[in-house]
Amino acid sequence: MAATTEQALSPVPQIVARRVEPERTGWTSWVTTTDHKRIGIMYLVLTFVFFILGGTEALLMRLQLSQANNTLLDPKTYNELFTMHGTTMIFLFVVPIMAGFGNYFVPLMIGARDMAYPKLNALSFWLLVAGGLVFYGSVFFNPPECGWTCYPPLSSRNYLPNGGVDAWIYLIHLTGLSSLLGAINFYATIANMRAPGMGWGRLPLFVWTILTYAILLILALPVIAGAVTMLLTDRHFGTHFFDASNGGSPLLWQHLFWFFGHPEVYIMVLPGFGIISEVLPVFARKPIFGYKAVAAATVLIAFLGLLVWAHHMFATPTPTYVLIFFMLSSFLIAVPTGVKIFNWVATLWRGTIEFKTALLFCVGFIGTFLIGGITGVFLAVFPVDWQLTDTYFLVAHLHYVLMGGSVFGIFAGIYYWFPKITGRLLSEGLGKLSFWLMLVGFHVTFLIQHSLGLDGMPRRVYEYPDVGHLELYNLISTVGSFILAAGVLVTAINVLRSVKRGPIAGPDPWKGNTLEWFTTSPPPVNNFDVVPRVRSVEPMKDIRRQVERQMGPTDELAQPVPESTVRT
């Protein structure tokens, strides 16, 4: 009774914990997690699985095209593989894997404990899973065969009445909602949760590109969501948005799709630019050349990327003055891209170069993307585009930009950040083997496709006659595709081998410049015990100088930095 009276008079409520739920372990801890690092890892693993699936589909197509008049695949199967490949690589690999890198590293790089909305972050991932399941579930009945752009009237119910196109539409909705929620989360996190002293002028360049990626997604995704909803109602609810025989217009679909589709190119490429901008200074042992110019070029590319969608439609009936506007806009977007390339080369110039695998992928990225950019300028000249549109020249250009650009950047990120994610180093020997196989295989596959296009071979055909050098060129391209696949396989083996058996990395194996290297490898749940004040665009260099002044010279931050060293 006395104890009860004492509790009633106490100003602090006396709470007795009767049961504490044990911490989840095993696979359920991953399914229910809201930790941005675990969600980032799940993004990376899932999207790499889709990358393998999309690559396998590409190899089957290349086998069909290796011989003239080949009968390995029938036209329906080839069209299904083509649609699955393009859709997988864009909507289930490149865009979401950038979200995976962003999920893991943006909070670490800005000194945050987590994303702004952790539960929304988990929802974004599971919506991606749902989209992939819906899309690949269609292989058990009727996969879509309308190409990854699904142009009407081919995608209308009159031509493709089965459910494959509907599965494609639901994929766009589910992955689009996933990306939209993730983009809002990125924006809120970067805008509101930066470390003390990290103003916009000290933001890591990878974070700048993720911020731009998020803004482009927020602007572009509602357009494609509206377009696929209109296509769905045309197919099932009696509307005629894209039906020319009932007052609609197939060109309306092209305008809506490419208003999303061209910013989508930069949504896929800009985070790759950010990875390159983080890796090069570390292995050149000098600051990024022209930090402000690189950041400004990122924003300018995003702005101009919203203005050039109709250069995908030069072959449609369009007034000449409109063609000239989009041609000049397409020329203009090459300027900030060129600024970035010059800045990357200047960063390497007279640097103390360490030829690690991550740096090799960066250098391969610069050269390969430069070729893709130059061919893009060719295609921006609309009389040239009239001759080359829908040929293999365009296929080569697309892959030089996306595979040679985004994918080489992704692999640079894998080799650079794998020690932070796992605490272990990847094999440099296997990594360099993977790089050379991928670089050689890529150029053997796609460089010769420019010649195929100039010789007049149309894209999206499952067979071709044995005229001129078409069969030889296609055979060379197919051989190159298997060399490229071998390079990807070597990296997959390297990752699986190194997760458990790789050398211990330590918290900062590369002597990095940004805050993710300030914490342990892998980071704890709360990321940081203390968040340091940021005083420059290279906060880790500042921290090392402080440590050396107070504790003497050190080769590596092998031990946690004393809290008193970095608090102020």
Side-chain angles (χ1 to χ4, degrees):
M1 185 68 178
T4 304
T5 304
E6 182 181 343
Q7 288 179 0
L9 295 175
S10 173
V12 180
Q14 304 297 309
I15 300 172
V16 178
R18 297 187 180 276
R19 182 179 68 85
V20 176
E21 184 176 356
E23 183 179 356
R24 291 180 182 270
T25 58
W27 66 270
T28 57
S29 66
W30 288 85
V31 172
T32 59
T33 188
T34 57
D35 180 5
H36 73 96
K37 297 180 291 298
R38 284 194 162 196
I39 291 171
I41 291 170
M42 290 193 294
Y43 264 110
L44 295 173
V45 172
L46 177 67
T47 53
F48 204 84
V49 169
F50 284 129
F51 180 51
I52 299 299
L53 288 173
T56 303
E57 291 153 1
L59 292 177
L60 290 172
M61 288 191 291
R62 287 308 324 163
L63 283 174
Q64 167 64 21
L65 294 170
S66 63
Q67 300 293 316
N69 302 309
N70 202 349
T71 58
L72 176 67
L73 301 175
D74 61 74
K76 183 176 187 299
T77 302
Y78 183 88
N79 289 339
E80 291 169 351
L81 286 170
F82 162 71
T83 305
M84 301 287 282
H85 166 72
T87 305
T88 298
M89 289 304 194
I90 290 173
F91 295 103
L92 292 173
F93 172 57
V94 179
V95 175
I97 201 172
M98 296 305 184
F101 282 118
N103 262 284
Y104 199 102
F105 290 105
V106 164
L108 290 168
M109 295 176 89
I110 66 173
R113 306 289 185 189
D114 205 326
M115 295 287 284
Y117 306 110
K119 292 183 179 178
L120 196 66
N121 200 24
L123 177 61
S124 298
F125 171 75
W126 292 111
L127 284 170
L128 173 67
V129 174
L133 290 175
V134 166
F135 185 63
Y136 271 89
S138 68
V139 301
F140 297 107
F141 49 96
N142 281 299
E145 48 182 309
C146 52
W148 74 273
T149 57
C150 273
Y151 277 9
L154 177 59
S155 56
S156 70
R157 192 170 180 83
N158 292 333
Y159 288 92
L160 293 174
N162 59 54
V165 178
D166 299 320
W168 183 87
I169 290 170
Y170 294 137
L171 164 86
I172 302 301
H173 271 307
L174 288 167
T175 58
L177 186 57
S178 166
S179 295
L180 186 61
L181 295 177
I184 294 169
N185 211 350
F186 281 129
Y187 184 88
T189 302
I190 296 167
N192 297 296
M193 299 177 67
R194 300 190 303 276
M198 186 177 282
W200 294 108
R202 295 174 179 171
L203 208 61
L205 288 169
F206 176 72
V207 179
W208 265 115
T209 59
I210 290 293
L211 177 64
T212 311
Y213 158 98
I215 293 171
L216 282 175
L217 283 170
I218 292 169
L219 293 174
L221 281 171
V223 178
I224 190 65
V228 296
T229 301
M230 294 158 71
L231 180 60
L232 185 68
T233 58
D234 272 14
R235 287 176 56 82
H236 296 289
F237 300 104
T239 59
H240 304 286
F241 292 109
F242 308 121
D243 184 0
S245 64
N246 285 281
S249 172
L251 286 181
L252 174 61
W253 169 267
Q254 293 192 34
H255 279 291
L256 293 173
F257 184 88
W258 289 116
F259 185 82
F260 154 81
H262 196 78
E264 177 82 343
V265 172
Y266 298 104
I267 288 166
M268 291 185 280
V269 168
L270 283 176
F273 287 178
I275 294 171
I276 302 304
S277 299
E278 296 297 341
V279 175
L280 284 178
V282 172
F283 295 110
R285 296 298 170 207
K286 56 185 288 194
I288 186 78
F289 183 88
Y291 165 89
K292 291 182 180 179
V294 175
T298 299
V299 176
L300 186 57
I301 287 171
F303 172 73
L304 293 173
L306 293 166
L307 302 179
V308 297
W309 78 91
H311 73 211
H312 294 272
M313 301 170 57
F314 278 162
T316 63
T318 307
T320 303
Y321 64 87
V322 176
L323 295 176
I324 292 172
F325 170 80
F326 283 104
M327 179 181 71
L328 294 177
S329 299
S330 302
F331 288 165
L332 189 59
I333 205 168
V335 175
T337 308
V339 168
K340 282 178 173 282
I341 290 174
F342 279 117
N343 284 5
W344 292 330
V345 173
T347 302
L348 291 171
W349 181 256
R350 294 188 175 178
T352 307
I353 306 296
E354 292 188 26
F355 286 99
K356 300 294 186 181
T357 304
L359 181 69
L360 293 178
F361 273 106
C362 289
V363 175
F365 169 100
I366 294 171
T368 306
F369 186 80
L370 182 61
I371 295 173
I374 291 171
T375 56
V377 173
F378 294 165
L379 291 168
V381 182
F382 59 87
V384 175
D385 185 84
W386 289 342
Q387 300 300 316
L388 297 177
T389 190
D390 284 333
T391 70
Y392 261 80
F393 191 95
L394 191 59
V395 175
H397 162 70
L398 174 70
H399 285 85
Y400 264 86
V401 170
L402 294 185
M403 179 74 188
S406 299
V407 176
F408 274 49
I410 288 165
F411 274 70
I414 290 171
Y415 279 90
Y416 179 61
W417 279 316
F418 184 85
K420 179 54 58 179
I421 296 173
T422 65
R424 294 180 180 271
L425 294 166
L426 287 166
S427 165
E428 283 293 314
L430 288 176
K432 290 173 181 176
L433 174 62
S434 174
F435 166 74
W436 287 112
L437 285 172
M438 288 182 65
L439 185 71
V440 172
F442 175 83
H443 287 289
V444 172
T445 302
F446 295 107
L447 189 62
I448 203 164
Q449 289 184 7
H450 295 98
S451 296
L452 278 170
L454 290 170
D455 280 357
M457 181 170 173
R459 61 176 176 164
R460 303 180 182 181
V461 294
Y462 83 104
E463 66 177 0
Y464 56 92
D466 185 10
V467 295
H469 300 293
L470 293 186
E471 185 173 63
L472 174 62
Y473 290 170
N474 274 290
L475 179 60
I476 292 171
S477 184
T478 299
V479 171
S481 69
F482 279 86
I483 298 172
L484 174 60
V488 174
L489 182 61
V490 170
T491 285
I493 293 170
N494 198 359
V495 168
L496 293 174
R497 170 184 174 276
S498 299
V499 166
K500 296 293 185 183
R501 297 171 52 193
I504 301 298
D508 188 12
W510 310 131
K511 291 189 178 292
N513 297 329
T514 44
L515 287 180
E516 75 270 26
W517 304 107
F518 179 65
T519 186
T520 58
S521 300
V525 174
N526 65 332
N527 289 351
F528 303 96
D529 292 329
V530 57
V531 178
R533 176 170 288 276
V534 174
R535 302 185 184 279
S536 73
V537 296
E538 296 179 321
M540 283 301 293
K541 285 187 178 179
D542 301 333
I543 291 169
R544 290 191 197 97
R545 292 190 192 101
Q546 283 184 285
V547 171
E548 289 179 1
R549 282 197 299 267
Q550 297 186 21
M551 303 177 63
T554 178
D555 292 331
E556 182 179 341
L557 294 179
Q559 301 296 327
V561 179
E563 184 175 332
S564 59
T565 305
V566 295
R567 173 168 285 172
T568 59

